[in-house]
Amino acid sequence: MNAAADLDLQSIPDRIQSEVQRAIQRSIKGVEYISSSGPSLGSTPKDILQVRGTMNLYHYRPISDEIYRVPILIVMATTNRGYILDMVPGQSFIEFLLKRGYDVYMLDWTAPKPEEKSLRMEDYVLDFIPDCVSRVQQDSGETDVTVIGYCFGGVLSLLYGSIFADGPMKNLICFTTPVDFREMKLFQNFSDRRYFDVDRLVDSVGNVPPEMILSSFEMLRPASRAASQLQLWENIWNDEYVKSYRMFDRWATDTLPLAGEYFRTITKDLMWDNKLYNDTMSVGGRAADISKIKVPILHAVAEHDHIVPYDAAKPLIQKIGSIDKEEVMLKGGHVSLVAGANAIKRLWPKLDSWLGERST
């Protein structure tokens, strides 16, 4: 006992010295953090094929000598920017796909202007997505197109695929995509029709402000921002930790406003009436029953997703009409499923394995 106590006492000066050095490093790195900008994101070389209103269509320049026949169109969520899938080199999903030989396009979004408050669900599903698919076909010279939808981009892709069930979509991949909106518990509470007057909101402000959307996400985990900032300070001496923090924090707070009419439909048709789950959804007068989708589909869900809980995403594979369909649950959360070290080890190789044999 005495020997152990002596050893512990002897280590105290070293531990004190280590903590002092770390405190000095925190102070130095803290000044650097405040005075510097974060890493450059979304830097994989690409060409802009089209810009129309809130819609941007990119084509990433191929880097592999051999390219799969079927091009990929990624449909991003309308609340967030697409660079979450194109972080820095070595941590970019886009770069990974290009290196594996895929021909990659992305439908990304910018903030709708005040005069675009009248954009409706049908503008996204019956206009923007079909237009981008057509341009991908023209640019690639291929008829078939694989569609990858992230979060609500997956919802838009499901609506598109159900209405245009005869093609040209060849494969569908959805990441963390909700179908049963009753299971989006906190969002259900936010939008409770007894207390939330969506008509008054949209008629008053037009486009829904990004601050409102960001606040609703942060309320899912009220203490997470304070906790993450404390963790940042504890680890600010660690350059890799700070780099990762800045990348994901920038994306998480870079929230886009939503077009007013589009938001009105999301609230009434999906949050209130749960029409996608109930098979009563229509877009522009056209039935959008996802059981009509017959193409191969992969749905990736996160074990610890606080934004789209598993119970909200689970019905997708059950309801889809495809014979070739698979759900894969992986460790991680809503963002770490698709980006970061967790995604590099788990989701990306799984997607490559699944998609490679369906892209020839």
Side-chain angles (χ1 to χ4, degrees), residues 93-319:
F93 176 59
I94 300 294
E95 179 190 57
F96 170 82
L97 291 176
L98 294 173
K99 286 183 175 180
R100 298 302 298 170
Y102 297 97
D103 194 9
V104 184
Y105 299 77
M106 179 184 285
L107 169 49
D108 197 14
W109 310 100
T110 55
K113 299 174 182 176
E115 59 269 24
E116 293 175 309
K117 64 183 180 181
S118 60
L119 284 173
R120 304 157 299 168
M121 182 67 78
E122 46 261 52
D123 291 307
Y124 290 84
V125 175
L126 304 181
D127 183 4
F128 288 145
I129 295 179
D131 186 16
C132 287
V133 169
S134 176
R135 289 180 179 272
V136 169
Q137 291 175 304
Q138 294 172 21
D139 189 67
S140 67
E142 295 293 337
T143 300
D144 296 329
V145 177
T146 289
V147 176
I148 299 179
Y150 176 51
C151 188
F152 208 88
V155 175
L156 296 178
S157 300
L158 287 171
L159 295 174
Y160 164 78
S162 65
I163 292 172
F164 298 93
D166 294 332
M169 186 169 70
K170 186 178 190 298
N171 305 294
L172 176 60
I173 297 169
C174 292
F175 297 152
T176 63
T177 296
V179 171
D180 187 354
F181 284 80
R182 294 172 306 175
E183 299 299 332
M184 307 277 282
K185 298 297 187 182
L186 196 54
F187 288 114
Q188 281 288 328
N189 292 336
F190 294 157
S191 61
D192 191 316
R193 71 175 80 206
R194 295 173 296 175
Y195 315 113
F196 181 52
D197 191 341
V198 66
D199 291 324
R200 184 178 179 185
L201 172 69
V202 172
D203 293 342
S204 299
V205 304
N207 294 330
V208 179
E211 295 81 11
M212 175 180 166
I213 299 164
L214 178 60
S215 296
S216 68
F217 285 132
E218 290 188 336
M219 287 177 67
L220 293 169
R221 288 183 174 174
S224 63
R225 177 153 290 274
S228 67
Q229 289 174 342
L230 285 172
Q231 288 181 319
L232 171 64
W233 177 246
E234 286 295 317
N235 294 278
I236 204 163
W237 53 272
N238 185 328
D239 290 340
E240 284 302 312
Y241 183 94
V242 172
K243 176 183 175 182
S244 177
Y245 177 89
R246 298 190 84 153
M247 289 191 300
F248 287 98
D249 184 64
R250 175 184 163 188
W251 179 82
T253 56
D254 193 4
T255 304
L256 296 171
L258 292 178
E261 291 301 325
Y262 172 66
F263 180 78
R264 197 194 311 259
T265 298
I266 292 173
T267 302
K268 291 186 175 183
D269 286 2
L270 298 178
M271 299 304 301
W272 289 359
D273 295 338
N274 207 19
K275 289 184 177 180
L276 186 61
Y277 179 79
N278 293 331
D279 305 324
T280 56
M281 186 70 183
S282 65
V283 181
R286 304 178 68 170
D289 180 354
I290 63 174
S291 68
K292 295 179 181 178
I293 297 175
K294 308 294 184 181
V295 301
I297 179 170
L298 175 69
H299 187 201
V301 294
E303 186 175 356
H304 305 293
D305 193 332
H306 69 291
I307 294 177
V308 180
Y310 178 60
D311 285 342
K314 180 169 59 176
L316 194 161
I317 291 298
Q318 299 169 1
K319 297 178 75 64

